[in-house]
Amino acid sequence: MRILTATEASRGFSDLLDAVERGETVMVTRGNRTIARIAPVPAATGRSLREALDAVPRLDDAFEADIAEATALLTSETDPWAGD
């Protein structure tokens, strides 16, 4: 892992991003303290999306019915706010 001072990171920001793009993680320090870790973003895949969606709680039947009813009003040709 590469360690740079904030000044070095600032002066060579393009090179820093190139290193991260190649898969390297870079630690940035200021005053002998680590202040940041810059790392590549993990690749997103269809599998990771499915896993994330599977972790979301399922809607209950009543909520799904409410959404369907509201959607029907939006696509209806009649004005739901019109007086009787």
Side-chain angles (χ1 to χ4, degrees):
M1 181 179 335
R2 196 158 133 195
I3 300 173
L4 298 174
T5 66
T7 301
E8 292 168 330
S10 174
R11 288 182 181 157
F13 192 65
S14 181
D15 292 335
L16 182 151
L17 291 179
D18 289 343
V20 171
E21 189 174 33
R22 288 190 304 271
E24 191 173 341
T25 297
V26 179
M27 302 299 279
V28 180
T29 63
R30 180 185 288 153
N32 296 321
R33 289 182 309 118
T34 300
I35 59 167
R37 180 182 69 213
I38 303 174
V41 174
T45 63
R47 181 181 193 159
S48 63
L49 175 60
R50 273 193 309 275
E51 289 170 356
L53 291 174
D54 286 343
V56 175
R58 297 288 177 227
L59 302 178
D60 64 16
D61 292 337
F63 184 75
E64 287 189 66
D66 290 343
I67 295 296
E69 186 178 319
T71 302
L73 290 173
L74 294 174
T75 57
S76 171
E77 295 296 323
T78 61
D79 182 357
W81 306 111
D84 294 291

Coordinates of all heavy atoms in Angstrom, one line a residue:
M1 N 0.9 -1.2 0.0 CA 0.0 0.0 0.0 C 0.9 1.2 0.0 O 1.9 1.3 0.8 CB -0.9 0.0 1.2 CG -1.8 1.2 1.3 SD -3.0 1.2 2.7 CE -3.2 -0.4 3.2
R2 N 0.5 2.2 -0.8 CA 1.3 3.4 -1.0 C 0.8 4.4 0.0 O -0.4 4.5 0.3 CB 1.1 3.9 -2.4 CG 2.1 4.9 -2.8 CD 2.1 4.9 -4.3 NE 2.0 6.2 -4.8 CZ 1.7 6.6 -6.1 NH1 1.3 5.6 -6.9 NH2 1.6 7.8 -6.5
I3 N 1.7 5.2 0.6 CA 1.4 6.2 1.6 C 1.9 7.5 1.0 O 3.1 7.6 0.7 CB 2.0 5.9 3.0 CG1 1.5 4.6 3.5 CG2 1.7 7.1 3.9 CD1 2.1 4.2 4.8
L4 N 1.1 8.5 0.9 CA 1.4 9.9 0.5 C 1.0 10.9 1.5 O 0.0 10.8 2.2 CB 0.7 10.2 -0.9 CG 1.0 9.3 -2.1 CD1 0.1 9.7 -3.2 CD2 2.4 9.4 -2.5
T5 N 1.8 12.0 1.5 CA 1.3 13.1 2.3 C 0.2 13.8 1.5 O 0.1 13.7 0.3 CB 2.5 14.1 2.6 OG1 2.9 14.7 1.3 CG2 3.6 13.5 3.3
A6 N -0.6 14.7 2.2 CA -1.6 15.4 1.5 C -1.0 16.3 0.4 O -1.6 16.4 -0.6 CB -2.4 16.3 2.5
T7 N 0.1 16.9 0.7 CA 0.8 17.7 -0.3 C 1.2 16.9 -1.5 O 0.9 17.3 -2.7 CB 2.0 18.4 0.3 OG1 1.6 19.2 1.4 CG2 2.8 19.3 -0.7
E8 N 1.8 15.7 -1.3 CA 2.1 14.8 -2.4 C 0.9 14.4 -3.2 O 0.9 14.4 -4.5 CB 2.9 13.6 -1.9 CG 4.2 13.9 -1.4 CD 4.8 12.7 -0.6 OE1 4.0 11.9 -0.1 OE2 6.1 12.6 -0.6
A9 N -0.2 14.1 -2.5 CA -1.4 13.7 -3.2 C -2.0 14.8 -4.0 O -2.4 14.6 -5.1 CB -2.4 13.2 -2.1
S10 N -1.9 16.0 -3.5 CA -2.4 17.2 -4.2 C -1.6 17.5 -5.5 O -2.2 17.7 -6.5 CB -2.4 18.4 -3.3 OG -2.8 19.5 -4.0
R11 N -0.3 17.4 -5.3 CA 0.5 17.8 -6.4 C 0.5 16.7 -7.5 O 0.7 17.0 -8.7 CB 2.0 18.0 -6.0 CG 2.1 19.2 -5.2 CD 3.6 19.5 -4.8 NE 3.7 20.7 -4.0 CZ 4.6 21.0 -3.1 NH1 5.6 20.1 -2.9 NH2 4.6 22.1 -2.5
G12 N 0.3 15.4 -7.1 CA 0.3 14.4 -8.1 C -1.1 13.6 -8.2 O -1.1 12.4 -8.3
F13 N -2.1 14.4 -8.1 CA -3.5 13.8 -8.0 C -3.8 12.9 -9.2 O -4.4 11.8 -9.0 CB -4.5 14.9 -7.9 CG -5.9 14.4 -7.5 CD1 -6.1 13.8 -6.3 CD2 -6.9 14.5 -8.4 CE1 -7.3 13.3 -5.9 CE2 -8.2 14.0 -8.0 CZ -8.4 13.4 -6.8
S14 N -3.4 13.3 -10.4 CA -3.7 12.5 -11.6 C -3.0 11.2 -11.5 O -3.5 10.1 -11.8 CB -3.2 13.3 -12.8 OG -3.5 12.5 -14.0
D15 N -1.7 11.2 -11.0 CA -0.9 10.0 -10.8 C -1.6 9.1 -9.7 O -1.6 7.9 -9.9 CB 0.5 10.2 -10.5 CG 1.3 10.9 -11.6 OD1 0.9 10.7 -12.8 OD2 2.3 11.6 -11.4
L16 N -2.1 9.7 -8.7 CA -2.7 9.0 -7.6 C -3.9 8.3 -8.2 O -4.2 7.1 -7.9 CB -3.1 10.0 -6.5 CG -3.8 9.4 -5.3 CD1 -3.4 10.3 -4.0 CD2 -5.3 9.3 -5.4
L17 N -4.8 9.0 -8.9 CA -6.0 8.4 -9.5 C -5.6 7.2 -10.5 O -6.3 6.2 -10.5 CB -6.8 9.4 -10.2 CG -7.5 10.4 -9.3 CD1 -8.3 11.4 -10.2 CD2 -8.4 9.8 -8.3
D18 N -4.5 7.4 -11.2 CA -4.0 6.3 -12.1 C -3.7 5.1 -11.3 O -4.1 3.9 -11.7 CB -2.8 6.8 -12.9 CG -3.2 7.8 -14.0 OD1 -4.4 7.9 -14.3 OD2 -2.2 8.4 -14.5
A19 N -3.0 5.3 -10.2 CA -2.6 4.1 -9.3 C -3.9 3.4 -8.8 O -4.0 2.2 -8.7 CB -1.7 4.6 -8.2
V20 N -4.8 4.2 -8.3 CA -6.1 3.7 -7.8 C -6.8 2.9 -8.9 O -7.4 1.8 -8.7 CB -7.0 4.8 -7.1 CG1 -8.3 4.2 -6.8 CG2 -6.3 5.3 -5.9
E21 N -6.9 3.5 -10.1 CA -7.5 2.8 -11.2 C -6.9 1.5 -11.5 O -7.6 0.5 -11.9 CB -7.5 3.7 -12.4 CG -8.3 3.2 -13.6 CD -8.4 4.3 -14.7 OE1 -7.4 5.0 -14.9 OE2 -9.4 4.3 -15.3
R22 N -5.6 1.3 -11.3 CA -4.9 0.1 -11.5 C -5.1 -0.9 -10.4 O -4.6 -2.0 -10.4 CB -3.4 0.3 -11.7 CG -3.0 1.0 -13.0 CD -1.5 1.0 -13.2 NE -0.7 1.6 -12.1 CZ -0.4 2.9 -12.0 NH1 -0.8 3.7 -12.9 NH2 0.2 3.4 -10.9
G23 N -5.9 -0.5 -9.3 CA -6.2 -1.4 -8.2 C -5.4 -1.1 -7.0 O -5.6 -1.9 -6.0
E24 N -4.6 -0.1 -6.9 CA -3.8 0.2 -5.7 C -4.7 1.0 -4.7 O -5.5 1.8 -5.1 CB -2.6 1.0 -6.1 CG -1.6 1.1 -5.1 CD -0.3 1.8 -5.6 OE1 -0.1 1.8 -6.8 OE2 0.5 2.3 -4.8
T25 N -4.4 0.7 -3.4 CA -5.0 1.5 -2.4 C -4.0 2.5 -1.9 O -2.8 2.1 -1.6 CB -5.5 0.7 -1.2 OG1 -6.6 -0.2 -1.7 CG2 -6.1 1.5 -0.1
V26 N -4.3 3.8 -1.7 CA -3.4 4.8 -1.3 C -3.8 5.4 0.0 O -5.0 5.8 0.1 CB -3.2 5.9 -2.4 CG1 -2.2 6.9 -2.0 CG2 -2.8 5.2 -3.7
M27 N -2.9 5.5 1.0 CA -3.2 6.2 2.2 C -2.7 7.6 2.1 O -1.6 7.8 1.6 CB -2.6 5.4 3.4 CG -3.0 4.0 3.5 SD -4.7 3.8 3.8 CE -4.8 4.1 5.5
V28 N -3.4 8.6 2.6 CA -3.0 10.0 2.6 C -2.9 10.4 4.0 O -3.7 10.2 4.9 CB -4.0 10.8 1.8 CG1 -3.6 12.3 1.8 CG2 -4.3 10.3 0.4
T29 N -1.7 11.0 4.3 CA -1.4 11.5 5.7 C -1.3 13.0 5.7 O -1.0 13.6 4.7 CB -0.1 10.9 6.2 OG1 1.0 11.3 5.4 CG2 -0.2 9.4 6.2
R30 N -1.5 13.5 6.9 CA -1.3 15.0 7.2 C -0.8 15.0 8.6 O -1.5 14.6 9.5 CB -2.6 15.8 7.0 CG -2.4 17.3 7.3 CD -3.7 18.0 7.3 NE -4.2 18.2 5.9 CZ -5.4 18.3 5.6 NH1 -6.4 18.4 6.5 NH2 -5.8 18.5 4.3
G31 N 0.3 15.6 8.8 CA 0.9 15.8 10.1 C 1.1 14.4 10.8 O 0.8 14.3 12.0
N32 N 1.6 13.4 10.1 CA 1.8 12.1 10.6 C 0.6 11.4 11.0 O 0.7 10.4 11.8 CB 2.9 12.1 11.7 CG 4.2 12.6 11.2 OD1 4.6 12.3 10.1 ND2 4.9 13.4 12.0
R33 N -0.6 11.8 10.6 CA -1.8 11.1 10.9 C -2.5 10.7 9.5 O -2.5 11.5 8.6 CB -2.9 12.0 11.6 CG -2.5 12.3 13.0 CD -3.6 13.2 13.7 NE -4.0 14.4 12.9 CZ -5.2 14.6 12.4 NH1 -6.2 13.8 12.6 NH2 -5.4 15.7 11.7
T34 N -3.0 9.5 9.5 CA -3.7 9.1 8.3 C -5.0 9.7 8.3 O -5.8 9.6 9.2 CB -3.8 7.5 8.3 OG1 -2.5 6.9 8.3 CG2 -4.6 7.1 7.0
I35 N -5.3 10.4 7.2 CA -6.6 11.1 7.1 C -7.5 10.6 6.0 O -8.7 10.9 6.0 CB -6.4 12.7 6.8 CG1 -5.6 12.9 5.5 CG2 -5.7 13.3 8.0 CD1 -5.6 14.3 5.0
A36 N -7.0 9.8 5.1 CA -7.8 9.2 4.1 C -7.2 7.9 3.5 O -6.0 7.7 3.5 CB -8.0 10.2 2.9
R37 N -8.1 7.1 3.0 CA -7.7 5.9 2.3 C -8.5 6.0 1.0 O -9.7 6.0 0.9 CB -8.1 4.6 3.0 CG -7.7 3.4 2.3 CD -8.1 2.1 3.0 NE -9.6 2.0 2.9 CZ -10.3 1.5 3.9 NH1 -9.8 1.0 5.0 NH2 -11.6 1.5 3.8
I38 N -7.8 6.0 -0.1 CA -8.4 6.1 -1.4 C -8.2 4.7 -2.1 O -7.1 4.2 -2.3 CB -7.7 7.2 -2.3 CG1 -7.9 8.5 -1.5 CG2 -8.4 7.3 -3.7 CD1 -7.2 9.7 -2.2
A39 N -9.3 4.1 -2.4 CA -9.3 2.7 -2.9 C -10.2 2.6 -4.1 O -11.1 3.4 -4.3 CB -9.7 1.7 -1.9
P40 N -9.9 1.6 -5.0 CA -10.8 1.4 -6.1 C -12.2 1.0 -5.7 O -12.4 0.4 -4.7 CB -10.2 0.2 -6.9 CG -8.8 0.0 -6.3 CD -8.8 0.6 -4.9
V41 N -13.2 1.4 -6.5 CA -14.6 1.1 -6.2 C -14.7 -0.4 -6.7 O -14.3 -0.7 -7.8 CB -15.5 2.0 -7.0 CG1 -16.9 1.5 -6.9 CG2 -15.3 3.4 -6.6
P42 N -15.4 -1.2 -5.9 CA -15.6 -2.6 -6.3 C -16.5 -2.6 -7.5 O -17.4 -1.8 -7.7 CB -16.3 -3.2 -5.1 CG -16.2 -2.3 -4.0 CD -15.9 -1.0 -4.5
A43 N -16.2 -3.6 -8.4 CA -17.0 -3.7 -9.6 C -18.4 -4.1 -9.3 O -18.6 -5.0 -8.5 CB -16.3 -4.7 -10.6
A44 N -19.4 -3.5 -9.9 CA -20.8 -3.8 -9.7 C -21.2 -4.9 -10.7 O -20.8 -4.8 -11.9 CB -21.7 -2.6 -9.8
T45 N -21.9 -5.9 -10.2 CA -22.3 -7.0 -11.1 C -23.8 -7.2 -10.9 O -24.4 -6.7 -10.0 CB -21.5 -8.3 -10.8 OG1 -21.9 -8.7 -9.5 CG2 -20.0 -8.1 -11.0
G46 N -24.4 -7.9 -11.8 CA -25.8 -8.3 -11.7 C -26.0 -9.1 -10.4 O -27.0 -9.0 -9.7
R47 N -25.0 -9.9 -10.1 CA -25.1 -10.7 -8.9 C -25.1 -9.9 -7.6 O -25.9 -10.1 -6.7 CB -23.9 -11.7 -8.8 CG -24.0 -12.6 -7.6 CD -22.8 -13.6 -7.5 NE -23.1 -14.6 -6.5 CZ -22.5 -15.7 -6.5 NH1 -21.6 -16.1 -7.4 NH2 -22.8 -16.6 -5.5
S48 N -24.2 -8.9 -7.6 CA -24.2 -8.0 -6.4 C -25.5 -7.2 -6.3 O -26.0 -6.9 -5.2 CB -23.0 -7.0 -6.5 OG -23.1 -6.2 -7.6
L49 N -26.1 -6.8 -7.4 CA -27.4 -6.1 -7.4 C -28.5 -7.0 -6.8 O -29.2 -6.7 -6.0 CB -27.8 -5.6 -8.8 CG -29.1 -5.0 -8.9 CD1 -29.3 -3.8 -8.0 CD2 -29.4 -4.6 -10.3
R50 N -28.5 -8.3 -7.3 CA -29.5 -9.3 -6.8 C -29.3 -9.5 -5.3 O -30.3 -9.5 -4.6 CB -29.3 -10.6 -7.5 CG -30.1 -10.7 -8.8 CD -30.2 -12.1 -9.3 NE -28.9 -12.8 -9.4 CZ -28.1 -12.7 -10.4 NH1 -28.4 -11.9 -11.4 NH2 -27.0 -13.3 -10.4
E51 N -28.1 -9.6 -4.8 CA -27.8 -9.8 -3.4 C -28.3 -8.6 -2.6 O -28.9 -8.7 -1.5 CB -26.3 -10.1 -3.1 CG -25.9 -11.4 -3.6 CD -24.4 -11.6 -3.6 OE1 -23.7 -10.7 -3.3 OE2 -24.0 -12.8 -3.9
A52 N -28.0 -7.4 -3.1 CA -28.5 -6.2 -2.4 C -30.0 -6.1 -2.4 O -30.6 -5.8 -1.3 CB -27.9 -4.9 -3.1
L53 N -30.7 -6.4 -3.5 CA -32.1 -6.4 -3.5 C -32.7 -7.5 -2.6 O -33.8 -7.3 -2.0 CB -32.6 -6.5 -4.9 CG -32.4 -5.3 -5.8 CD1 -32.8 -5.7 -7.3 CD2 -33.0 -4.1 -5.3
D54 N -32.1 -8.6 -2.5 CA -32.6 -9.7 -1.7 C -32.5 -9.3 -0.2 O -33.3 -9.8 0.6 CB -31.8 -11.0 -1.9 CG -32.1 -11.7 -3.2 OD1 -33.2 -11.4 -3.7 OD2 -31.3 -12.5 -3.6
A55 N -31.6 -8.4 0.1 CA -31.5 -7.9 1.5 C -32.5 -6.9 1.9 O -32.7 -6.7 3.1 CB -30.1 -7.3 1.8
V56 N -33.2 -6.4 0.9 CA -34.3 -5.4 1.2 C -35.5 -6.1 1.7 O -36.0 -7.1 1.0 CB -34.6 -4.5 0.0 CG1 -35.8 -3.6 0.2 CG2 -33.3 -3.8 -0.5
P57 N -36.1 -5.7 2.8 CA -37.4 -6.4 3.3 C -38.5 -6.3 2.2 O -38.6 -5.3 1.5 CB -37.8 -5.6 4.5 CG -36.6 -4.8 4.9 CD -35.8 -4.6 3.7
R58 N -39.2 -7.3 2.1 CA -40.4 -7.4 1.2 C -41.5 -6.5 1.7 O -41.7 -6.4 2.9 CB -40.9 -8.8 1.0 CG -39.8 -9.8 0.5 CD -39.6 -9.5 -1.0 NE -38.6 -10.3 -1.6 CZ -37.6 -9.9 -2.3 NH1 -37.5 -8.6 -2.6 NH2 -36.7 -10.7 -2.8
L59 N -42.3 -6.0 0.7 CA -43.4 -5.2 1.0 C -44.6 -6.1 1.5 O -44.7 -7.2 0.9 CB -43.8 -4.3 -0.2 CG -42.8 -3.4 -0.7 CD1 -43.4 -2.7 -2.0 CD2 -42.3 -2.4 0.3
D60 N -45.4 -5.6 2.4 CA -46.5 -6.4 2.8 C -47.6 -6.2 1.8 O -47.6 -5.3 1.0 CB -47.0 -6.2 4.2 CG -47.5 -4.7 4.4 OD1 -47.8 -4.1 3.4 OD2 -47.6 -4.3 5.6
D61 N -48.6 -7.1 1.8 CA -49.7 -7.1 0.8 C -50.5 -5.8 0.8 O -50.9 -5.3 -0.3 CB -50.6 -8.3 1.0 CG -49.9 -9.6 0.7 OD1 -48.9 -9.6 -0.1 OD2 -50.4 -10.7 1.2
A62 N -50.7 -5.3 2.0 CA -51.5 -4.1 2.1 C -50.8 -2.9 1.4 O -51.4 -2.1 0.7 CB -51.8 -3.7 3.6
F63 N -49.5 -2.8 1.6 CA -48.7 -1.7 1.0 C -48.7 -1.8 -0.5 O -48.9 -0.8 -1.2 CB -47.3 -1.7 1.6 CG -46.5 -0.5 1.1 CD1 -46.7 0.8 1.6 CD2 -45.5 -0.6 0.1 CE1 -46.0 1.9 1.2 CE2 -44.8 0.4 -0.3 CZ -45.1 1.7 0.2
E64 N -48.5 -3.0 -1.0 CA -48.5 -3.2 -2.4 C -49.9 -2.9 -3.0 O -50.0 -2.3 -4.1 CB -48.1 -4.7 -2.7 CG -46.7 -5.0 -2.5 CD -46.3 -6.3 -3.0 OE1 -46.3 -6.5 -4.2 OE2 -45.9 -7.2 -2.2
A65 N -51.0 -3.2 -2.3 CA -52.3 -2.9 -2.8 C -52.5 -1.3 -2.8 O -53.1 -0.8 -3.8 CB -53.4 -3.5 -1.9
D66 N -52.0 -0.6 -1.8 CA -52.1 0.8 -1.8 C -51.3 1.4 -2.9 O -51.8 2.4 -3.6 CB -51.5 1.4 -0.5 CG -52.4 1.1 0.7 OD1 -53.6 0.7 0.6 OD2 -51.9 1.2 1.9
I67 N -50.2 0.9 -3.2 CA -49.4 1.4 -4.4 C -50.1 1.2 -5.7 O -50.2 2.1 -6.5 CB -48.0 0.8 -4.4 CG1 -47.2 1.2 -3.2 CG2 -47.2 1.1 -5.7 CD1 -46.9 2.7 -3.1
A68 N -50.7 0.0 -5.8 CA -51.4 -0.3 -7.1 C -52.6 0.6 -7.2 O -52.9 1.1 -8.3 CB -51.8 -1.8 -7.0
E69 N -53.3 0.9 -6.1 CA -54.5 1.8 -6.2 C -54.0 3.2 -6.5 O -54.7 3.8 -7.4 CB -55.1 1.8 -4.8 CG -56.4 2.5 -4.8 CD -57.1 2.4 -3.4 OE1 -57.1 1.4 -2.8 OE2 -57.6 3.5 -2.9
A70 N -53.0 3.7 -6.0 CA -52.5 5.0 -6.3 C -52.0 5.1 -7.7 O -52.3 6.1 -8.4 CB -51.3 5.4 -5.3
T71 N -51.3 4.1 -8.2 CA -50.9 4.1 -9.6 C -52.1 4.1 -10.5 O -52.0 4.7 -11.6 CB -50.0 2.8 -9.8 OG1 -48.9 2.9 -8.9 CG2 -49.5 2.8 -11.2
A72 N -53.1 3.3 -10.2 CA -54.3 3.3 -11.0 C -54.9 4.7 -11.2 O -55.4 5.1 -12.2 CB -55.3 2.3 -10.5
L73 N -54.9 5.5 -10.1 CA -55.4 6.8 -10.1 C -54.6 7.7 -11.1 O -55.1 8.6 -11.8 CB -55.4 7.4 -8.7 CG -56.5 6.9 -7.7 CD1 -56.2 7.5 -6.4 CD2 -57.9 7.1 -8.2
L74 N -53.3 7.5 -11.1 CA -52.4 8.3 -11.9 C -52.6 8.0 -13.4 O -52.4 8.9 -14.2 CB -51.0 8.1 -11.5 CG -50.5 8.6 -10.1 CD1 -49.1 8.1 -9.8 CD2 -50.7 10.1 -10.0
T75 N -53.0 6.8 -13.7 CA -53.1 6.4 -15.1 C -54.6 6.4 -15.5 O -54.9 6.1 -16.7 CB -52.5 5.0 -15.3 OG1 -53.2 4.1 -14.5 CG2 -51.0 5.0 -15.1
S76 N -55.5 6.8 -14.6 CA -56.9 6.8 -14.9 C -57.2 8.0 -15.8 O -56.6 9.1 -15.7 CB -57.7 6.9 -13.6 OG -59.0 7.1 -13.9
E77 N -58.3 7.8 -16.6 CA -58.7 8.9 -17.5 C -59.6 9.9 -16.7 O -59.9 11.0 -17.2 CB -59.5 8.4 -18.7 CG -58.6 7.6 -19.6 CD -57.5 8.4 -20.3 OE1 -57.7 9.6 -20.6 OE2 -56.4 7.9 -20.4
T78 N -60.1 9.5 -15.5 CA -61.0 10.3 -14.8 C -60.2 11.1 -13.8 O -59.1 10.8 -13.4 CB -62.0 9.5 -14.0 OG1 -61.3 8.6 -13.1 CG2 -62.9 8.6 -14.9
D79 N -60.8 12.3 -13.4 CA -60.1 13.2 -12.4 C -60.6 12.8 -11.0 O -61.7 12.9 -10.7 CB -60.5 14.6 -12.7 CG -59.9 15.6 -11.8 OD1 -59.1 15.2 -10.9 OD2 -60.1 16.8 -12.0
P80 N -59.6 12.3 -10.2 CA -60.0 11.8 -8.9 C -60.4 13.0 -8.0 O -61.0 12.8 -6.9 CB -58.8 11.1 -8.4 CG -57.7 11.7 -9.1 CD -58.2 12.1 -10.5
W81 N -60.1 14.2 -8.3 CA -60.4 15.4 -7.5 C -61.7 16.1 -7.9 O -62.1 17.0 -7.3 CB -59.2 16.4 -7.5 CG -57.9 15.7 -7.2 CD1 -56.9 15.5 -8.0 CD2 -57.6 15.2 -5.9 NE1 -55.9 14.8 -7.3 CE2 -56.3 14.7 -6.0 CE3 -58.2 15.1 -4.7 CZ2 -55.6 14.1 -4.9 CZ3 -57.5 14.6 -3.6 CH2 -56.2 14.0 -3.7
A82 N -62.3 15.6 -9.0 CA -63.5 16.3 -9.5 C -64.6 16.0 -8.5 O -64.7 14.9 -8.0 CB -63.8 15.8 -10.9
G83 N -65.5 17.0 -8.4 CA -66.7 16.8 -7.5 C -67.7 15.8 -8.1 O -67.7 15.5 -9.3
D84 N -68.6 15.3 -7.2 CA -69.6 14.3 -7.7 C -70.6 15.0 -8.5 O -71.2 15.9 -8.3 CB -70.2 13.6 -6.5 CG -69.2 12.7 -5.7 OD1 -68.8 11.7 -6.3 OD2 -68.9 13.1 -4.6

